[in-house]
Amino acid sequence: MNTANKPVVVNMNRDPITDSPGSHPVGTGIGSAGGAAAGVVAGAIFGPIGMMVGGTIGAIAGAAVGHEAGELVDPTGEIQYWRNNYSTREYVDSQYSFDTDYQPAYLYGVSSRNLGSSRRWDDALATELERDWDAKKTTSTLPWHQALPAVRDAWDRSDRTYNVYDSSDRYYESRFADADYRDNAHNFGEYRNAYRYGAFARSAHPARAWDDDLETELGRGWDSVKGASSLGWEKSKAATRDAWHTIKSAYPGNA
């Protein structure tokens, strides 16, 4: 991969989105952690989307992905999620440790999904991953049949992230021409991370209402998440607020 397209990995505490979305602040998160959202380099990395209100989106992983080359699910953040949650999985055998054994399997699942953007999980893919497991497992002592459920778990979580962000990008792009806050000097690409920021914020703070305090906090974080966008916060905040209020409609499962 061209190193120019590699995201800078940010060590983030992920929401434990399966059970309690938003209860663990992002390491550089909004609000009490200082207002800066998870780091973005040219739009490549974004913060976690947990369950939306009502849970109808389901368990979604943590990085912004869409139509641009080089956008990847953040493996460091995903490993933090699994560190916090792997012990709840039925396939986990207590004789194996997370750091030595399961972490490499989860990382293998995330990295494989990042590389296989046009693939879907099937028997052929599982066979390919099994073939390469010995070369990729680093410290893990898990035989493939025990590593497979963890690899699949991480793949599926990353796949949901791709799908949710793809759907939301398309949704907001389809509405962009009619947005009353749109500055005609800027195209949708300039606003896209503002929509994503609103989606992230709504997920990270499901119990909060949009108010002046939240707007101020998000404003402090905008420069960290805007990526290649040239928009300042004053021009982007309306799109962020729009996504905050409408993200449930942006994903087909919430229509």
Side-chain angles (χ1 to χ4, degrees), residues 66-163:
H67 307 297
E68 293 181 2
E71 292 188 327
L72 305 175
V73 173
D74 169 27
T76 300
E78 290 306 286
I79 291 304
Q80 185 62 50
Y81 169 82
W82 289 114
R83 183 184 300 278
N84 292 337
N85 291 277
Y86 87 107
S87 62
T88 66
R89 296 304 202 257
E90 292 182 357
Y91 55 76
V92 169
D93 185 331
S94 60
Q95 72 175 299
Y96 297 102
S97 73
F98 178 82
D99 288 318
T100 299
D101 300 302
Y102 284 101
Q103 177 173 301
Y106 290 123
L107 183 59
Y108 190 36
V110 176
S111 61
S112 297
R113 179 60 186 89
N114 279 338
L115 292 172
S117 59
S118 62
R119 299 290 298 274
R120 290 293 176 264
W121 189 280
D122 55 21
D123 291 342
L125 175 63
T127 298
E128 292 176 22
L129 295 179
E130 178 181 9
R131 181 193 63 207
D132 294 337
W133 172 238
D134 283 345
K136 301 292 186 181
K137 67 182 182 180
T138 60
T139 62
S140 181
T141 60
L142 291 172
W144 175 247
H145 74 276
Q146 288 182 280
L148 173 59
V151 174
R152 175 70 188 271
D153 239 359
W155 170 285
D156 286 346
R157 192 173 135 84
S158 298
D159 190 56
R160 287 191 293 268
T161 294
Y162 277 93
N163 291 336

Side-chain angles (χ1 to χ4, degrees), residues 223-251:
D223 284 345
S224 297
V225 302
K226 69 180 183 179
S229 176
S230 65
L231 295 178
W233 178 239
E234 286 305 310
K235 288 188 176 180
S236 62
K237 67 182 178 183
T240 302
R241 182 172 59 243
D242 187 3
W244 168 279
H245 289 298
T246 62
I247 184 58
K248 286 174 61 180
S249 299
Y251 189 65

Side-chain angles (χ1 to χ4, degrees), residues 40 43-47 62-66 71-74 161-162 165 193 196:
V40 172
I45 288 182
F46 208 68
V65 294
E71 292 188 327
L72 305 175
V73 173
D74 169 27
T161 294
Y162 277 93
Y165 274 110
N193 274 1
R196 292 179 174 188

Side-chain angles (χ1 to χ4, degrees), residues 172 176 181-197 222 229 231 235-240:
Y172 291 114
F176 183 66
Y181 49 78
R182 175 187 178 187
D183 183 335
N184 290 329
H186 300 281
N187 60 26
F188 173 76
E190 294 276 1
Y191 281 86
R192 190 181 66 162
N193 274 1
Y195 290 118
R196 292 179 174 188
Y197 195 27
W222 173 241
S229 176
L231 295 178
K235 288 188 176 180
S236 62
K237 67 182 178 183
T240 302

